C-alpha cells in the first residue's frame, strides 16, 4: 500500500518508538506537517478491523518546526507513551530523546543520544536504560548526501547484532536495503520508498494524485498474490496542511462496480503561532 507520509502518521510512530534500524534513521526527521510550521498538533487515528473500531490520540509539540514532545493516549484517554526531544534548532539536529512507555509490568524509560560528524551527518545512536547506562549502540556510515548507507547495531560489549546497508536510487525515489547476519551472511534484500512526500513526482502505475501531491488511489499486492485497492479522501486547512485523511478498502465486483469499506481515518488539529 502507498504509505502517505505527507500526512506523516507513520513517521510519528517511527519517531516515538525510537526503532533501532536503518529505516527509522532514514525517516526519523521527516516533518509532521506539509506547509506552515505548527506549534502543536493533536492527532486522532481511527482504525477499523474485525474486532471493531480502535482509536488512538497523540499530542505533538514543536520548536522551530522540530518535534519537541509527543504524548500518546489509549482508547480510554490514558497516557501510555511520552517522548521528549532535545534539539539543536539552529543546525536542525536532534541531540537526544527521552521516552517513557507504559507496559504491563510498569514504565519503561529509555534515552537515545545522537552524535554527528563535522558535516552534521548522524554517525552514532547510543541507547540507554532508565539509569542512563548504555545497553546498545549503532554506528552509521553515510554517503555524500548524508543518507545512511550502513547501519550496524551492537550490544554494550561491542558485539554486533547485524548490519543493514542501503543503495540509493535517487532517480526513482527508492533505496535498496540489504540485511546481513553478524557473520556476514545476507539475510534479505528489499526495496523501499525513500521520500513519501515526493511520491507524486515519481508516480507508480495504478496510483493517482491530487493537486496537493497526495495519493487518491492505490493498489497493493498481498503475500498470497491477491491485489487490494484503496481510495483516499482529504481535507486541508487554509495553509494547505492536511486535517483529515480517510482510507477506504475497495472491492471491485465482477460487474465492475466498486464497493468501499472504511479502513482508517487520520485527523489532525493544528495550532499555529
Amino acid at each position: 500500500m502507498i504509505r502517505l507520509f505527507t500526512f506523516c502518521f507513520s513517521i510519528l510512530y517511527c519517531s516515538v518508538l525510537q526503532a533501532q534500524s536503518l529505516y527509522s534513521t532514514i525517516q526519523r526527521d521527516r516533518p509532521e506537517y506539509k506547509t506552515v510550521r505548527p506549534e502543536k498538533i493533536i492527532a486522532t487515528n481511527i482504525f477499523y478491523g474485525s474486532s471493531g473500531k480502535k482509536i488512538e490520540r497523540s499530542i505533538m509539540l514543536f520548536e522551530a518546526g522540530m518535534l519537541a514532545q509527543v504524548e500518546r493516549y489509549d482508547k480510554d484517554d490514558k497516557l501510555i507513551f511520552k517522548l521528549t526531544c532535545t534539539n539543536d534548532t539552529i543546525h536542525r539536529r536532534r541531540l537526544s530523546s527521552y521516552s517513557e512507555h507504559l507496559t504491563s509490568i510498569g514504565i519503561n524509560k529509555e534515552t537515545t543520544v545522537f552524535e554527528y560528524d563535522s558535516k552534521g551527518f548522524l554517525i552514532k545512536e547510543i541507547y540507554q536504560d532508565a539509569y542512563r547506562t548504555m545497553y546498545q549502540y549503532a554506528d552509521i556510515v553515510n554517503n555524500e548526501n548524508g543518507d545512511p548507507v550502513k547501519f550496524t547495531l551492537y550490544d554494550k560489549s561491542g558485539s554486533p547484532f547485524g548490519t543493514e546497508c542501503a543503495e540509493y536510487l535517487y532517480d526513482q525515489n527508492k533505496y535498496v536495503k540489504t540485511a546481513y547476519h553478524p557473520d556476514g551472511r545476507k539475510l534479505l534484500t528489499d526495496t523501499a520508498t525513500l521520500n513519501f512526500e515526493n511520491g507524486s513526482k515519481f508516480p507508480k502505475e495504478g496510483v493517482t494524485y491530487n493537486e496537493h501531491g497526495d495519493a487518491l488511489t492505490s493498489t497493493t499486492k498481498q503475500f498470497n498474490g491477491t491485489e487490494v485497492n484503496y481510495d483516499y479522501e482529504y481535507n486541508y486547512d487554509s495553509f494547505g496542511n492536511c486535517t483529515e485523511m480517510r482510507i477506504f478498502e475497495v472491492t471491485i465486483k465482477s460487474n465492475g462496480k466498486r464497493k468501499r469499506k472504511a479502513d482508517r481515518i487520520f485527523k489532525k488539529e493544528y495550532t499555529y503561532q
Side-chain angles (χ1 to χ4, degrees), residues 149-152 160-166 177-189:
V149 295
K150 186 177 182 181
F151 181 101
T152 305
F161 287 109
T163 297
E164 292 179 302
C165 295
K177 181 184 71 175
T178 304
Y180 295 90
H181 190 274
D183 63 13
R185 287 183 292 117
K186 184 186 293 186
L187 298 176
L188 61 88
T189 298

Side-chain angles (χ1 to χ4, degrees), residues 4-265:
L4 299 169
F5 283 84
T6 51
F7 208 33
C8 299
F9 288 95
S10 294
I11 296 178
L12 167 62
Y13 291 111
C14 176
S15 297
V16 301
L17 294 179
Q18 305 189 87
Q20 300 153 3
S21 68
L22 179 71
Y23 176 83
S24 66
T25 302
I26 291 173
Q27 299 293 345
R28 176 175 289 111
D29 293 325
R30 302 296 188 196
E32 299 288 341
Y33 51 90
K34 195 167 185 177
T35 58
V36 177
R37 294 176 176 178
E39 286 187 320
K40 178 180 178 181
I41 297 176
I42 299 177
T44 303
N45 304 334
I46 304 172
F47 304 89
Y48 296 92
S50 56
S51 58
K53 184 169 66 173
K54 178 182 177 181
I55 300 177
E56 297 177 352
R57 187 172 68 92
S58 299
I59 299 176
M60 294 168 275
L61 302 179
F62 301 84
E63 55 177 346
M66 297 185 68
L67 187 66
Q69 183 174 294
V70 177
E71 293 181 351
R72 184 150 55 93
Y73 298 83
D74 65 11
K75 60 182 179 62
D76 299 316
D77 214 30
K78 181 180 180 180
L79 180 65
I80 58 174
F81 184 88
K82 184 175 181 179
L83 176 76
T84 303
C85 302
T86 300
N87 300 313
D88 176 353
T89 57
I90 295 176
H91 298 99
R92 315 301 296 174
R93 301 171 189 169
R94 184 180 300 185
L95 303 179
S96 66
S97 58
Y98 171 73
S99 67
E100 297 176 284
H101 189 191
L102 180 64
T103 69
S104 58
I105 59 175
I107 299 177
N108 182 34
K109 300 178 181 180
E110 294 187 12
T111 298
T112 303
V113 178
F114 304 95
E115 295 184 0
Y116 300 82
D117 64 14
S118 59
K119 296 180 181 179
F121 297 163
L122 179 64
I123 58 172
K124 196 180 194 71
E125 297 179 0
I126 302 171
Y127 313 112
Q128 302 172 341
D129 61 21
Y131 303 99
R132 298 299 295 265
T133 301
M134 181 184 73
Y135 66 90
Q136 287 178 355
Y137 68 93
D139 282 339
I140 302 165
V141 179
N142 303 281
N143 62 16
E144 63 277 9
N145 297 322
D147 290 318
V149 295
K150 186 177 182 181
F151 181 101
T152 305
L153 185 65
Y154 299 88
D155 65 17
K156 62 182 179 180
S157 65
S159 299
F161 287 109
T163 297
E164 292 179 302
C165 295
E167 178 185 353
Y168 292 89
L169 308 174
Y170 291 110
D171 60 336
Q172 301 177 43
N173 194 34
K174 296 179 181 178
Y175 66 97
V176 179
K177 181 184 71 175
T178 304
Y180 295 90
H181 190 274
D183 63 13
R185 287 183 292 117
K186 184 186 293 186
L187 298 176
L188 61 88
T189 298
D190 192 20
T191 301
T193 298
L194 177 59
N195 189 335
F196 292 87
E197 295 178 357
N198 293 333
S200 62
K201 298 177 183 178
F202 302 87
K204 297 180 180 180
E205 184 178 355
V207 182
T208 59
Y209 297 87
N210 63 16
E211 66 275 15
H212 294 273
D214 293 321
L216 293 174
T217 61
S218 71
T219 301
T220 185
K221 183 171 288 188
Q222 306 287 4
F223 290 110
N224 60 8
T226 60
E227 291 186 344
V228 181
N229 301 285
Y230 293 92
D231 283 353
Y232 308 89
E233 294 180 355
Y234 306 89
N235 290 318
Y236 300 88
D237 65 16
S238 59
F239 296 108
N241 280 324
C242 192
T243 57
E244 182 176 272
M245 176 176 71
R246 292 177 176 264
I247 304 176
F248 301 88
E249 184 177 332
V250 180
T251 302
I252 302 177
K253 298 184 177 182
S254 56
N255 59 6
K257 290 187 176 181
R258 306 169 84 253
K259 182 179 180 181
R260 301 202 310 177
K261 180 179 69 173
D263 186 73
R264 276 158 288 175
I265 300 175

